[in-house]
Amino acid sequence: MKEHAALAMGWVPVCPAEQLSADGRAAIDLPSGERCLVFEVEGALYAVSATCSHRALSIEGGPVQGASIVCPWHKARFDMATGKGTRPARDPLKTFDVAVVDGTVCVHEREGEG
């Protein structure tokens, strides 16, 4: 898929893929207004909401442990692939589709998800 076709289909560019590889994480505000965190962990890409499902606080800057991110406020741990969290979070963290298109990391909000 070419970048212009991806953008027409609702994919949002985040950063060049080599930048994400170097930094390991990036953040972007999506057209919906939601902040999204993007991670590369051991060659796999993940994109999750920057807002913890427990108390709606930002998890941006929280420590990454393997393919999980830890909320810096209450220590809930979220699997970045599924969004499933540990106590005290009861609800999963929202996840997004993520792909590299023409060398650019892009995310997509799935239809019908808020």
Side-chain angles (χ1 to χ4, degrees):
M1 172 172 30
K2 293 291 182 190
E3 186 171 357
H4 65 277
L7 297 176
M9 294 171 31
W11 289 84
V12 180
V14 177
C15 66
E18 63 269 7
Q19 178 184 331
L20 187 62
S21 295
D23 297 343
R25 64 172 74 197
I28 185 171
D29 292 318
L30 297 171
S32 67
E34 184 163 9
R35 189 141 177 93
C36 175
L37 305 176
V38 181
F39 300 90
E40 181 176 3
V41 178
E42 297 179 6
L45 295 174
Y46 304 97
V48 299
S49 172
T51 305
C52 181
S53 64
H54 171 234
R55 293 280 185 186
L57 297 168
S58 176
I59 62 169
E60 195 166 344
V64 172
Q65 298 173 346
S68 295
I69 184 165
V70 179
C71 175
W73 301 100
H74 298 107
K75 309 304 179 215
R77 182 183 180 126
F78 296 94
D79 180 295
M80 289 190 273
T82 65
K84 185 176 178 182
T86 61
R87 292 177 138 203
R90 294 176 188 221
D91 296 320
L93 193 63
K94 184 175 177 183
T95 61
F96 302 91
D97 293 326
V98 59
V100 176
V101 179
D102 289 345
T104 299
V105 177
C106 298
V107 297
H108 191 276
E109 289 183 279
R110 294 181 194 110
E111 204 60 37
E113 289 196 14

